[in-house]
Amino acid sequence: MGQPITKVASGGVFVAMRVDADLLSSIYTEGLLKLRSRAEDSGIPKSGSVEVLRARLISNLVLPDMDLSWEGIQSMSHKEMGEVLKIFGIKSSGSHKERRQRLWLHLNYDSRRMTIENLAEMNRDDLHEMCKRLELELTGNRTVLMGRVAGVL
């Protein structure tokens, strides 16, 4: 438990980010039914796809002390964000803004369902809120906002 798997700069001081590598590995290798059982045993909602369930389990069991709210994501350093993205199995390159966008989308939306077709079904207010969270320009009609969000996917 708590094997250091990476280094993260925190306040200018390097500290080891400790995660349970065995638990993380099992979350990535288990099938949907086993993940649902693990979630239920841990009091975590078991609905959603394998990707959504894995993200919830990693958030709650592997990184329980990490603030993964919008504000917490905003406060992460560039290096820390890269390491967190790696733990979630998400592409970790890119600008700090792109990293924040990727992590927030991964934690809040099912990537397999976040398609142009599903964006087309969203109303303007939902698209506006998504643009706000993704740090995109907020002006324009529904179609313009949809195009901005689609550009991040």
Side-chain angles (χ1 to χ4, degrees):
M1 170 76 187
Q3 303 167 30
I5 64 164
T6 187
K7 298 264 185 194
V8 175
S10 176
V13 178
F14 277 93
V15 294
M17 179 182 279
R18 296 193 173 273
V19 299
D20 186 336
D22 294 333
L23 175 60
L24 185 60
S25 176
S26 68
I27 289 172
Y28 276 112
T29 57
E30 290 175 350
L32 182 60
L33 294 177
K34 189 104 166 143
L35 291 173
R36 283 188 176 154
S37 175
R38 183 187 293 269
E40 189 171 33
D41 293 345
S42 302
I44 298 168
K46 61 181 184 173
S47 61
S49 68
V50 171
E51 291 80 16
V52 168
L53 202 45
R54 279 193 180 118
R56 275 193 212 125
L57 289 166
I58 292 169
S59 297
N60 289 284
L61 302 179
V62 178
L63 301 171
D65 299 325
M66 182 157 282
D67 181 3
L68 296 171
S69 67
W70 177 246
E71 293 76 21
I73 291 171
Q74 292 294 315
S75 69
M76 287 182 194
S77 71
H78 186 72
K79 185 168 185 140
E80 183 178 16
M81 178 79 59
E83 299 303 331
V84 170
L85 286 167
K86 288 176 187 174
I87 289 170
F88 280 100
I90 307 169
K91 177 182 167 188
S92 61
S93 63
S95 71
H96 198 60
K97 179 180 175 180
E98 291 167 337
R99 289 174 172 204
R100 285 192 305 262
Q101 290 171 334
R102 261 187 241 122
L103 183 57
W104 186 80
L105 280 173
H106 187 74
L107 293 172
N108 292 284
Y109 291 92
D110 183 348
S111 62
R112 295 192 187 263
R113 294 182 187 197
M114 186 55 62
T115 62
I116 302 297
E117 292 79 22
N118 286 342
L119 287 177
E121 294 173 8
M122 294 176 81
N123 65 42
R124 187 187 184 285
D125 291 340
D126 291 339
L127 287 166
H128 186 271
E129 183 61 29
M130 189 172 278
C131 283
K132 186 175 167 185
R133 292 294 187 180
L134 293 172
E135 304 171 73
L136 302 170
E137 192 176 330
L138 302 175
T139 59
N141 63 25
R142 191 178 149 281
T143 305
V144 170
L145 295 176
M146 187 177 77
R148 288 194 185 113
V149 173
V152 173
L153 300 179

